[in-house]
Amino acid sequence: MSQLGLLPRRAWTALLSQLLRLPCSSCIQAVRCHSQVAGAVLTSQLKAHQEKPNFIIKTPKGTRDLSPQQMVVREKILDLVVSCFKRHGAMGMDTPAFELKEMLTEKYGEGSGLMYDLKDQGGELLSLRYDLTVPFARYLAMNKVKKMKRYHVGKVWRRESPTIVQGRYREFCQCDFDIAGQFDPMIPDAECLKIMCEILNGLQLGDFLIKVNDRRIVDGMFAVCGVPESKFSTICSSIDKLDKMAWKDVRHEMVAKKGLAPEVADRIGDYVQCHGGVSLVEQMFQDPRLSQNKQALEGLGDLKLLFEYLTLFGIAEKISFDLSLARGLDYYTGVIYEAVLLHTPTQAGAEPLSVGSVAAGGRYDGLVGMFDPKGHKVPCVGLSIGVERIFNIVEQRMKTFGEKVRTTETQVLVATPHKNFLQERLKLIAELWDAGIKAEMLYKNNPKLLTQLHYCESTGIPLVVIVGEQELKEGVVKIRSVASREEVSGSSGNRRDKVFLPLPDFLRNMYLLAEKLSSWLIVVEMNKDLLQITIAACEYWMGGQKKGK
């Protein structure tokens, strides 16, 4: 009765007893009152049931969850990228996910309209960070840092129309490397391009090309073509779309939407179709219009020097001077660059995945000065790796070729073939964890041995440490290779056993394992085809150590 919103039995009993004592009119009024209450409760319950929202469980537009399998792939990509940054001497740092809105505005040109603004919080107007570069410049100015080489891995947010298949999201991860400080021309810039090449080669994404240009050349080109200076920024944003749109569409946008004269757009078109190596740089020095612009000549001079350093680094063949490259962000002041894949590794007959640029960057010598009260500048140059786009390529390749991913790094499963051995398993696995071994056990008192072995096979755990009645009696354990099913037992005697195990990734931990089990030392011998693991008595090893061997 109470589940239907009516009064419980005791309440009805009390009500009836009161009704028997009351006059007829009071009884009628009391019944009507309680009936209204009961009806209201029932109605509210039915209404709540009927108005249960019929919504679709989904992530917000332009975002996604990452499964354990995807996280493994992502972490491997990030590990390779970060290890390269560290190899070049960068220090890690982080900044808040949101900044004061005034810190971010007027730094991104047309991109400023894509920032995520937050509601007024405690008197501050805030926005989610659009990239990692502007917060870095704010950090340098705020802390008066004049020289720094840093890397930063973090999420950024842009309120644009996402194209998931091309790796474009509203929330995505960036990996940035930047060099701040006053140095001789083009040396830090050349190192940034070398880092790009190292990372893209290491990721094995296929053949790639890095386009380079200089914002001074871009501005000089606009000037000699007749673009009004007030339109430099907006026309630059249009040129930046040439990697996604045909020239005729970009020309239409500049003329029809941005009011550029058609003949001016055509003159720009003559330049943006030029691309080549250092020979094109020399050719532009002789260009009758561009050679008359001081800014353009400065940019061409730096590019010529840059190509000399790139040749010494052995990467000049991967670099193309491309006059269509503009980089639409307002803060770039010098050399700019962008890496694109020429094709992605796919199975025969499969259509290559088009993802646009996978890395980009450039020089921004004036950005720090925008935050400094006295306008003091700190020259900077950097690069950003497009993790999401790279991840999409790797993920598609794995699906195409049926590659599988291990989601854990567990090296050993502690198992038993007998019942009532939970205490022994817990003691043993505690020893392994304390020794730094990545170990697991099944959360059952009495699991079947076959179930434990199947778990190893399904999760890719390479080793099983087995403890049972016989092992406990003899003071030993068994180590089994899941793949080969070979076993070896450890004892306190002076004998030696040999077993072949596929353990190239776990050598250091297996030394720890042998010592912690107080029974075996594992000695490694390499040959061409396989890894030979020699198991020796622990007392023999300890004796050798005592003798200084």
Side-chain angles (χ1 to χ4, degrees), residues 241-520:
K241 299 174 184 177
L242 280 170
D243 63 332
K244 310 180 232 6
M245 297 166 55
W247 163 247
K248 64 176 184 178
D249 297 322
V250 172
R251 182 186 182 279
H252 174 76
E253 178 180 284
M254 292 192 299
V255 174
K257 297 182 180 179
K258 299 187 176 181
L260 192 66
E263 62 274 12
V264 174
D266 291 335
R267 285 195 286 268
I268 293 174
D270 293 337
Y271 282 108
V272 297
Q273 296 178 54
C274 298
H275 53 85
V278 68
S279 60
L280 180 60
V281 178
E282 298 287 358
Q283 182 182 329
M284 289 296 109
F285 270 117
Q286 308 304 320
D287 183 82
R289 287 181 295 193
L290 210 56
S291 61
Q292 302 303 311
N293 185 275
K294 183 181 177 181
Q295 262 192 317
L297 287 176
E298 289 176 357
L300 289 169
D302 277 352
L303 280 186
K304 184 179 179 181
L305 181 61
L306 178 65
F307 268 98
E308 290 180 19
Y309 296 151
L310 298 178
T311 301
L312 294 173
F313 279 149
I315 60 172
E317 73 282 355
K318 291 288 186 185
I319 313 298
S320 171
F321 173 33
D322 194 322
L323 283 163
S324 70
L325 182 64
R327 301 294 296 151
L329 298 177
D330 277 1
Y331 52 67
Y332 286 122
T333 58
V335 172
I336 50 177
Y337 32 83
E338 186 174 276
V340 294
L341 299 182
L342 301 180
H343 59 80
T344 58
T346 55
Q347 232 173 10
E351 186 176 344
L353 182 66
S354 174
V355 294
S357 65
V358 292
R363 176 162 287 278
Y364 50 102
D365 290 346
L367 187 57
V368 177
M370 293 183 183
F371 295 106
D372 191 279
K374 297 181 179 180
H376 292 157
K377 294 182 179 180
V378 178
C380 298
V381 65
L383 64 98
S384 182
I385 303 297
V387 176
E388 307 299 344
R389 295 182 179 183
I390 291 172
F391 176 76
N392 269 35
I393 295 167
V394 174
E395 193 174 31
Q396 187 211 42
R397 182 177 62 189
M398 294 179 65
K399 288 179 180 177
T400 300
F401 295 103
E403 298 177 26
K404 293 184 178 180
V405 176
R406 249 194 94 186
T407 55
T408 70
E409 298 180 4
T410 306
Q411 299 160 340
V412 179
L413 181 81
V414 176
T416 181
H418 302 299
K419 293 183 177 181
N420 302 320
F421 263 71
L422 178 60
Q423 291 185 3
E424 285 71 21
R425 286 191 293 144
L426 291 173
K427 289 178 184 176
L428 182 54
I429 199 169
E431 282 193 58
L432 299 182
W433 287 335
D434 292 343
I437 306 298
K438 298 168 183 175
E440 284 188 66
M441 57 175 275
L442 296 192
Y443 302 131
K444 288 188 175 182
N445 281 314
N446 302 306
K448 294 180 180 179
L449 182 60
L450 189 60
T451 302
Q452 297 169 84
L453 297 177
H454 281 167
Y455 179 77
C456 289
E457 291 174 352
S458 64
T459 56
I461 300 175
L463 294 173
V464 186
V465 173
I466 301 174
V467 57
E469 293 177 354
Q470 188 66 28
E471 288 79 16
L472 194 62
K473 190 179 297 182
E474 296 178 3
V476 300
V477 294
K478 283 183 181 177
I479 303 175
R480 170 185 278 201
S481 164
V482 176
S484 66
R485 301 190 179 181
E486 295 277 0
E487 287 185 358
V488 62
S489 297
S491 71
S492 57
N494 287 325
R495 61 179 245 237
R496 291 188 179 190
D497 292 331
K498 289 186 178 182
V499 62
F500 295 105
L501 297 176
L503 301 175
D505 295 329
F506 310 111
L507 299 183
R508 184 187 65 81
N509 286 331
M510 291 310 295
Y511 268 91
L512 292 172
L513 173 62
E515 292 173 354
K516 273 294 180 181
L517 292 177
S518 303
S519 56
W520 296 102

Side-chain angles (χ1 to χ4, degrees), residues 54 101 238 283 544:
N54 184 20
K101 185 178 180 179
S238 295
Q283 182 182 329

Side-chain angles (χ1 to χ4, degrees), residues 146-176:
K146 301 298 181 184
K147 207 176 272 190
M148 187 179 190
K149 185 187 288 188
R150 80 88 163 91
Y151 75 89
H152 186 181
V153 178
K155 286 187 175 182
V156 298
W157 294 265
R158 297 182 185 178
R159 192 171 44 83
E160 59 184 353
S161 297
T163 310
I164 306 301
V165 293
Q166 293 185 354
R168 298 177 69 89
Y169 296 87
R170 288 182 167 180
E171 177 189 68
F172 55 96
C173 178
Q174 281 190 339
C175 298
D176 281 20

Side-chain angles (χ1 to χ4, degrees), residues 116-239:
Y116 274 102
D117 294 333
L118 305 179
K119 287 186 176 181
D120 185 359
Q121 299 292 330
E124 294 183 331
L125 294 176
L126 308 173
S127 294
L128 294 177
R129 63 188 179 200
Y130 184 89
D131 68 2
L132 302 178
T133 305
V134 172
F136 174 55
R138 188 264 308 153
Y139 173 88
L140 294 175
M142 190 174 76
N143 294 282
K144 303 188 184 307
V145 178
K146 301 298 181 184
K147 207 176 272 190
M148 187 179 190
K149 185 187 288 188
R150 80 88 163 91
Y151 75 89
H152 186 181
V153 178
K155 286 187 175 182
V156 298
W157 294 265
R158 297 182 185 178
R159 192 171 44 83
E160 59 184 353
S161 297
T163 310
I164 306 301
V165 293
Q166 293 185 354
R168 298 177 69 89
Y169 296 87
R170 288 182 167 180
E171 177 189 68
F172 55 96
C173 178
Q174 281 190 339
C175 298
D176 281 20
F177 173 96
D178 293 85
I179 301 172
Q182 187 71 54
F183 303 102
D184 289 339
M186 294 298 104
I187 299 175
D189 310 64
E191 183 175 6
C192 286
L193 290 168
K194 180 71 169 72
I195 289 170
M196 265 190 180
C197 286
E198 288 179 14
I199 289 172
L200 295 177
N201 280 325
L203 291 170
Q204 299 179 353
L205 301 175
D207 201 9
F208 63 89
L209 184 70
I210 300 177
K211 303 175 184 179
V212 300
N213 199 357
D214 194 295
R215 282 297 285 268
R216 292 168 295 180
I217 297 174
V218 175
D219 289 347
M221 176 182 69
F222 289 161
V224 301
C225 288
V227 179
E229 190 172 349
S230 60
K231 291 184 181 290
F232 276 15
S233 178
T234 185
I235 296 302
C236 186
S237 296
S238 295
I239 296 297

